[in-house]
Amino acid sequence: MAAKILVIDDEKSTVELLSLLLKERGFEVYDAPDAQTGLRMAYQHQPDLVLLDVVLPDRDGWEICRQMRDLSDMPIIFVSARAGKDDVIKGLELGADDYIAKPFDNDELVARVMARLRRRPTTAIHEEYVFNNGEFRINFMNREVWIRDRLKHLTPKEFNLLAVLVRNAGRVVSRKELVTEAWGDEYGDAIDSLKLYVHYLRQKLETNPQQPEYILTSRGVGYRFAQR
């Protein structure tokens, strides 16, 4: 079955070019001219990858990326004329998987799309893998986290980060190892983002985020999930 690509961009010429390039490679392509339509089509069609512009007529691409990333770990690639260093960093920190500047090289764009699709999470794990210490329970297959019998909602990036810590419970995981294992090699320098996401996790999981019981800091090294 052909992979489905959703293009969210209000520039007709860009949409036509992307559609032509991707359809020639056998992809199924959907397009949306604004953020609202893009979100609706993402829900309806469940695309395998999204190509997203920053400047849209109703809402900016930053907000759309944030909303999509909270709901799914599908690859998101920004394709935008706004390609300054700060824009690229912001897009990646919001959860995008790649950032391509307009005007783009046709072959390079297709190559990056295909590379991201090859790196999609697989579903090769068939058994249910559960961590359970009594009050903290994680189902890795269903991606569910329960604290004292209360289900906690985590974004895909938060869950991936927690999963690495829990699978290494009792061991200090270095910041670089934690980032690359949870998010991929391309995030190896995203230390500031790591601190932010650890903060998010503590806010959601710890009784007192200021005095964490589970996600502990090893100063100058990394983080450790406490065995209790």
Side-chain angles (χ1 to χ4, degrees):
M1 183 178 296
K4 295 181 288 186
I5 310 293
L6 172 61
V7 178
I8 305 177
D9 196 314
D10 63 333
E11 292 182 0
K12 186 176 180 180
S13 60
T14 299
V15 172
E16 290 177 347
L17 175 57
L18 289 172
S19 297
L20 177 64
L21 292 172
L22 296 169
K23 287 179 180 178
E24 283 181 346
R25 268 69 173 190
F27 295 115
E28 186 176 343
V29 183
Y30 302 90
D31 63 86
D34 54 56
Q36 183 176 353
T37 305
L39 286 171
R40 185 174 66 251
M41 295 186 74
Y43 178 78
Q44 291 175 343
H45 299 290
Q46 297 293 306
D48 297 290
L49 183 143
V50 175
L51 296 175
L52 175 63
D53 193 9
V54 173
V55 180
L56 295 167
D58 49 350
R59 276 176 282 175
D60 62 45
W62 309 129
E63 183 180 349
I64 302 311
C65 179
R66 187 183 297 110
Q67 289 181 260
M68 287 185 170
R69 187 50 74 232
D70 283 343
L71 298 172
S72 171
D73 56 0
M74 64 185 169
I76 299 172
I77 299 177
F78 275 108
V79 182
S80 177
R82 288 186 55 172
K85 179 180 177 182
D86 291 342
D87 294 313
V88 174
I89 292 173
K90 182 174 182 177
L92 296 176
E93 288 185 343
L94 286 173
D97 297 275
D98 203 348
Y99 205 111
I100 300 174
K102 294 180 181 177
F104 49 80
D105 179 86
N106 295 350
D107 293 334
E108 180 184 354
L109 182 140
V110 172
R112 291 196 185 195
V113 166
M114 296 181 73
R116 287 295 157 191
L117 289 172
R118 287 195 298 269
R119 296 174 190 170
R120 281 179 298 176
T122 65
T123 55
I125 299 175
H126 299 289
E127 74 278 6
E128 184 177 55
Y129 181 11
V130 175
F131 171 89
N132 190 344
N133 74 352
E135 63 177 30
F136 197 119
R137 181 162 52 91
I138 302 175
N139 186 312
F140 291 94
M141 188 171 183
N142 293 339
R143 300 176 71 86
E144 291 182 348
V145 178
W146 298 79
I147 307 291
R148 291 175 289 277
D149 295 324
R150 296 185 63 184
L151 180 64
K152 300 291 183 175
H153 171 72
L154 301 186
T155 68
K157 289 188 74 172
E158 290 169 352
F159 184 89
N160 290 345
L161 191 64
L162 178 64
V164 174
L165 286 168
V166 172
R167 288 183 172 119
N168 291 276
R171 179 176 78 85
V172 176
V173 184
S174 72
R175 292 187 292 258
K176 185 174 181 62
E177 179 185 356
L178 187 52
V179 168
T180 56
E181 286 293 320
W183 301 336
D185 292 338
E186 63 271 25
Y187 287 91
D189 296 324
I191 303 304
D192 289 339
S193 293
L194 174 62
K195 293 178 182 178
L196 182 62
Y197 276 88
V198 168
H199 170 75
Y200 291 158
L201 281 175
R202 285 173 171 163
Q203 292 293 321
K204 292 181 178 182
L205 305 180
E206 302 281 2
T207 302
N208 181 357
Q210 304 305 316
Q211 296 180 323
E213 302 175 59
Y214 293 108
I215 303 174
L216 308 181
T217 301
S218 179
R219 295 195 179 278
V221 182
Y223 298 93
R224 173 173 61 89
F225 188 84
Q227 289 180 315
R228 301 182 61 200

